[in-house]
Structures are given as structure tokens and as C-alpha cells.
Amino acid sequence: MTMTTVDLRVVEKSPAAEGVVTLTLAHPRGQRLPDWAPGAHVDLVLPGGLVRQYSLCGDRWDSRAYRVGVLREPVSRGGSVFVHDELSPGDTVSIGGPRNNFPLVPAERYLFVAGGIGITPLLPMVHQADLLGADWRLVYGGRTRRSMAFLDELARYGDRVHVCPQDEYGLLDLDHRLGEPDWGRKVYCCGPEPLLAAVENRCAQWPAGLLRTERFVPKEQSAPVRAEAFEVALARSGRAVTVRPGQSVLDAVAGAGVNVLSSCRQGTCGTCETGVVDGVPDHRDSILDDAERAAGDCMFLCVSRSRSDRLVLDL
């Protein structure tokens, strides 16, 4: 089953930095859009069946418009090139969501670490933390100042924001910026894979829950735990299906007549999240943290598989 979408109109397209544009989207008849919270993203459905996820980076209190930032990818799969070269104000695009796999949870202190276009989900978090009067800092890295979006919006926060272009400061000094684990502080990080991997490595020995990351592309995975087929039982429908090697759980359950909403099919968007009643999932997504994986009470059917001979899903 494909996701439910709504058609929105591009009301503004503006350059935000070198290689970055923002799109402001609104309902053609001015209707209210679904509420969202910092960390949420939408699916942008483009011609040819392309679906891309973009973080909402506008004013969450504006119920009539969404804003997203789009980087022109050097090696594009077609989405960012279409947005930059073809999409114009007045055009209509389909939107799915919003959904939030990267929520801002209450904390006494926050450290936000952004790399490049990874600033987009963190921008509303900064606004929210400041509104709440929390103690927060943002460390924002990029190739050059010209390539770093929203610097004008961030300037009002003064020295809470540390802008660190690589051509001026080199790579981010994570040892200095992250320091030691602090139970009262949450660290949120989004950006390119080398930054995310470096932050995760630096925080590997920290207590669970202090670091939260979000990826725009799938994390590289090792081979599945099981090379052989396994059984999936569907608790609510009373059906059972065999998942063959190389077949996704999503496709297997669809073959049994049970359709699950899906979008990215890469384990990054969260659309196909499903509850696990029994069995041990082999998590292969790029969303869950270690504690959530250990809990084993949900999985993303597009990429994750099974460690046990049998899984029982809440379907």
C-alpha cells in the first residue's frame, strides 16, 4: 500500500546557500496543514515515482505553509536535480506525512551538531529550545560559509551558535565540542555520513539515550543474520507467510494480502514501522537507536529481517 498524499502548491522557491534552495508549500485552497513538531519530515513525491524525504525547517506555528531545504546532490538520483532545475513557483507536488523519527525530547541542556544540509531538522529544534528557555548550543559545520544555509536566521542567537566552515577551521573538533557525557544534556546530530559516524564513534561508550542522530541516506549494513528463509505470523489477520532469502518482509506480507504503508524502502523514513509481538528482529534500518533495537518491539519491514525462526507481527 502506498502512502496517503496531499497535493500542495509551491508558493516560493528561494536560494538559501550555494547549492541549496528552500521550497515553501501551501494548500491550493489555503487549507490548514497537519501540525508538526521539530525533527519531522515530509515525503516529496516527484515525477516518475521518485519519493524523497525532506526535513521541515520552517515555522511550526504557521499552519498554512511548510518549508523544506533541498541540497543539489553532486551525484543525484534525480530528486534534487528536478527540484533545483525544474520545479517552479505555481507548480503542484504531492506530499506524504509529516512523520517524526527524530523528536526533540525534554532536557535541561542541548548540544546540536549540524553538518551541511543537516541543519534543516535542527533549525526548528534550536527555535524550540530557545523558546523554552533551555540551555543550548549549536555547532554548525560545512565546506564554506557560502554553502551553509540559514546563517542569516541563526545570527540572532549570537554566541550560542558556532559556525565552523571547514575552509576556515578544518574538521569539527568533536573531542572539544562533545566533551564528556552529561545526564542533563541531549546531543542531536544530523549531517553527512562521515560526521555521523565520527560522532557515534566518539559517543560509543556514553549511556544510551544521550545521543540522537538522523540520516538522510541508509547506513551501511553488514549481511543479514540469517541467510535462510523464516516465517512471519500476522497476529491480527491470523495468516502466516514465508519470507524468502532476498525478499523483504514488506513484500512478503503484501503477497499474503496485508498491505503496509511504505515510502523510502531504505529504512530511513519510518513509514512501514510495525509492532513485533514475538520473535527477535534483525534490525537493518537507519532510524532506531541501540535501546530501541534492544527492546525489539517494533521493526521497519522494508529492510529489517529476523534473527529467530519465526516472527509474530502486529498485523
Side-chain angles (χ1 to χ4, degrees):
M1 183 186 299
T2 56
M3 62 186 170
T4 301
T5 61
V6 61
D7 289 341
L8 299 183
R9 181 171 294 147
V10 180
V11 296
E12 185 177 346
K13 178 180 178 181
S14 304
E18 190 177 81
V20 179
V21 296
T22 60
L23 301 178
T24 302
L25 309 167
H27 195 281
R29 295 188 297 278
Q31 295 180 11
R32 181 187 180 96
L33 301 179
D35 294 337
W36 60 280
H41 70 267
V42 293
D43 300 292
L44 191 62
V45 184
L46 301 171
L50 291 173
V51 180
R52 298 291 181 263
Q53 286 75 43
Y54 296 108
S55 298
L56 291 170
C57 60
D59 179 3
R60 64 170 298 200
W61 306 111
D62 182 356
S63 63
R64 306 292 174 179
Y66 289 157
R67 185 179 70 166
V68 297
V70 181
L71 170 69
R72 186 185 185 98
E73 298 286 353
V75 184
S76 174
R77 294 175 294 158
S80 69
V81 166
F82 179 84
V83 169
H84 277 255
D85 294 350
E86 305 294 335
L87 205 58
S88 300
D91 290 347
T92 298
V93 293
S94 294
I95 294 291
R99 286 183 302 278
N100 200 338
N101 306 316
F102 194 44
L104 183 68
V105 300
E108 297 172 21
R109 294 174 294 282
Y110 296 99
L111 174 63
F112 303 109
V113 182
I117 198 62
I119 189 61
T120 50
L122 300 183
L123 191 63
M125 293 188 183
V126 164
H127 296 335
Q128 184 75 3
D130 199 64
L131 183 67
L132 294 173
D135 180 2
W136 64 270
R137 294 290 183 276
L138 167 67
V139 179
Y140 182 13
R143 291 180 290 104
T144 66
R145 287 183 186 271
R146 295 190 308 277
S147 69
M148 299 170 70
F150 309 116
L151 292 183
D152 53 342
E153 294 184 28
L154 292 167
R156 59 175 162 161
Y157 298 117
D159 61 6
R160 285 178 180 260
V161 176
H162 303 272
V163 178
C164 305
Q166 187 175 342
D167 65 341
E168 298 177 28
Y169 295 94
L171 296 176
L172 294 179
D173 184 352
L174 296 179
D175 286 339
H176 170 67
R177 299 295 184 180
L178 294 168
E180 297 302 316
D182 175 352
W183 284 105
R185 184 187 66 173
K186 301 290 187 183
V187 178
Y188 282 79
C189 180
C190 186
E193 183 58 32
L195 172 63
L196 292 168
V199 170
E200 288 174 336
N201 182 65
R202 175 62 175 71
C203 302
Q205 303 306 313
W206 285 18
L210 298 187
L211 170 66
R212 190 78 190 197
T213 61
E214 181 170 62
R215 284 174 162 81
F216 294 134
V217 296
K219 188 176 183 178
E220 187 173 340
Q221 303 285 345
S222 58
V225 172
R226 295 174 59 91
E228 62 271 27
F230 56 93
E231 182 184 69
V232 169
L234 310 179
R236 281 188 276 163
S237 62
R239 302 176 187 177
V241 62
T242 297
V243 181
R244 304 185 306 272
Q247 181 186 31
S248 72
V249 178
L250 184 68
D251 288 339
V253 299
V258 178
N259 291 316
V260 177
L261 290 174
S262 65
S263 175
C264 73
R265 290 182 172 261
Q266 295 182 309
T268 58
C269 76
T271 309
C272 64
E273 181 176 0
T274 301
V276 176
V277 178
D278 193 26
V280 183
D282 176 14
H283 295 293
R284 304 181 59 74
D285 62 272
S286 302
I287 299 172
L288 299 177
D289 62 25
D290 289 344
E292 292 166 331
R293 289 168 183 254
D297 56 2
C298 71
M299 64 185 287
F300 298 95
L301 304 191
C302 65
V303 292
S304 295
R305 303 185 67 75
S306 180
R307 292 175 175 267
S308 50
D309 294 336
R310 186 172 184 263
L311 275 179
V312 182
L313 301 180
D314 185 22
L315 291 173

